[in-house]
Amino acid sequence: ATVLVAILSFFYMHDYPETTKFLTESERSYIIDVLKQDSNDLSSRFDTQFFRQAIKDYKTYVQSLIYLRLLVLGYAIALFSPTIINELDYSAANAQLLSAPPFAAGCIGTIIFGIYSDKHNIRGPYIIGGALVSLVGYILLYCSVQADPSYVGACLAAAGVYPTVAIALAWAGSSARGDLKRGIVIAMVIGFGNLGGICSCFIYIDLPRFHIGHGTIMGFLSLAIIMSLFAMWDYNWLNKKKEGQCEAENISDDRGYEFEDMGDDSPLFR
């Protein structure tokens, strides 16, 4: 089904608002204006220099590491939550049923975090907050020997981590500018992040308490928090540096065309 939809998409998905047939002229003009404001006058053409910018930018790898560390947990919950619950003295059938509420908690958390993250226009603090909630859940899973606290821990772990996965990907996209560079950065982040699925397959090996798996996950969450703190500091430092450059060189938005090929290195990009 995925391959079929992909083939149909090639023919029926429109590449740009300028080429769409279902928009009215007023709708087309509005969308083009919004996209222009979002692009900060940066180039949208295809050029290999933007590919080089993406792979040479250390921020791409910072975001990839954040996403990877979070996705290890996301895959672990999806793959092993029935086994974990079953090892907490539930039958196999009940374990399958009881594996649903943690994902429901993750869904609700994703919606709430997404709304407020967009409302406040920040990403890092929400990633850190979600990771801390998930960390509390895994501490419960690691320390508890009874079923009820461990199940609460599983719900907290899912409710905390799944919102961070979506926000981390949005953060990676919003921190890269220029259409081509942004696309390459998002592809690299997702590609590296999916390696988390490989890791999660090999850490839940010590039945019945899974101390190795839970301990490894807590380490990944701690590293994700540290990397998010570094990214927040780094972006803040870069923005202040660019603000100083704009003041010193009298750079304003009307000179945006001069920096259209610089991507997010443009002094006008924040």
Side-chain angles (χ1 to χ4, degrees):
T2 303
V3 174
L4 177 62
V5 171
I7 294 172
L8 294 174
S9 298
F10 178 81
F11 295 99
Y12 291 102
M13 284 188 67
H14 297 274
D15 296 322
Y16 302 100
E18 293 88 343
T19 62
T20 57
K21 299 179 180 179
F22 60 87
L23 292 174
T24 65
E25 285 304 317
S26 60
E27 291 172 338
R28 193 191 319 277
S29 298
Y30 172 76
I31 294 173
I32 291 172
D33 183 59
V34 170
L35 292 175
K36 184 177 180 180
Q37 293 180 30
D38 181 64
S39 69
N40 293 96
D41 294 316
L42 297 176
S43 176
S44 60
R45 74 179 192 279
F46 183 89
D47 195 302
T48 56
Q49 68 170 311
F50 302 123
F51 174 78
R52 292 193 296 270
Q53 286 178 7
I55 63 175
K56 291 180 179 179
D57 191 346
Y58 71 92
K59 298 189 294 296
T60 301
Y61 301 98
V62 170
Q63 292 292 343
S64 296
L65 289 173
I66 293 172
Y67 192 68
L68 169 64
R69 285 163 170 77
L70 296 172
L71 220 60
V72 172
L73 172 53
Y75 276 115
I77 294 175
L79 291 172
F80 299 108
S81 58
T83 305
I84 293 171
I85 296 171
N86 187 46
E87 290 298 328
L88 297 174
D89 299 326
Y90 291 112
S91 66
N94 285 335
Q96 291 291 339
L97 293 173
L98 289 169
S99 66
F103 294 103
C107 175
I108 295 170
T110 300
I111 294 171
I112 295 173
F113 275 52
I115 290 172
Y116 283 97
S117 176
D118 280 348
K119 181 179 180 180
H120 297 142
N121 198 29
I122 53 176
R123 308 298 182 194
Y126 284 92
I127 292 176
I128 294 170
L132 288 172
V133 171
S134 192
L135 191 58
V136 171
Y138 266 89
I139 291 172
L140 280 173
L141 284 165
Y142 190 93
C143 298
S144 179
V145 294
Q146 296 180 343
D148 292 341
S150 296
Y151 188 68
V152 172
C155 291
L156 287 174
V161 75
Y162 284 117
T164 65
V165 171
I167 294 174
L169 195 56
W171 197 12
S174 63
S175 61
R177 272 300 182 267
D179 292 347
L180 183 59
K181 181 178 180 181
R182 181 191 296 175
I184 293 169
V185 167
I186 291 175
M188 291 178 65
V189 169
I190 293 175
F192 281 123
N194 283 332
L195 295 176
I198 299 174
C199 177
S200 65
C201 292
F202 296 100
I203 58 177
Y204 279 89
I205 56 177
D206 55 328
L207 298 172
R209 300 261 64 87
F210 299 111
H211 281 157
I212 293 176
H214 296 334
T216 303
I217 292 296
M218 286 190 283
F220 276 121
L221 285 169
S222 300
L223 288 172
I225 292 171
I226 293 171
M227 294 297 293
S228 296
L229 288 170
F230 169 76
M232 291 167 58
W233 171 83
D234 186 54
Y235 290 144
N236 185 57
W237 177 75
L238 289 172
N239 286 340
K240 289 183 178 179
K241 182 180 178 181
K242 291 177 180 179
E243 289 170 2
Q245 180 183 353
C246 288
E247 291 179 4
E249 301 178 18
N250 196 28
I251 299 174
S252 58
D253 290 339
D254 58 359
R255 293 178 56 188
Y257 65 92
E258 298 179 26
F259 314 102
E260 65 176 6
D261 291 337
M262 293 183 64
D264 45 82
D265 289 330
S266 167
L268 294 173
F269 175 73
R270 304 289 188 272

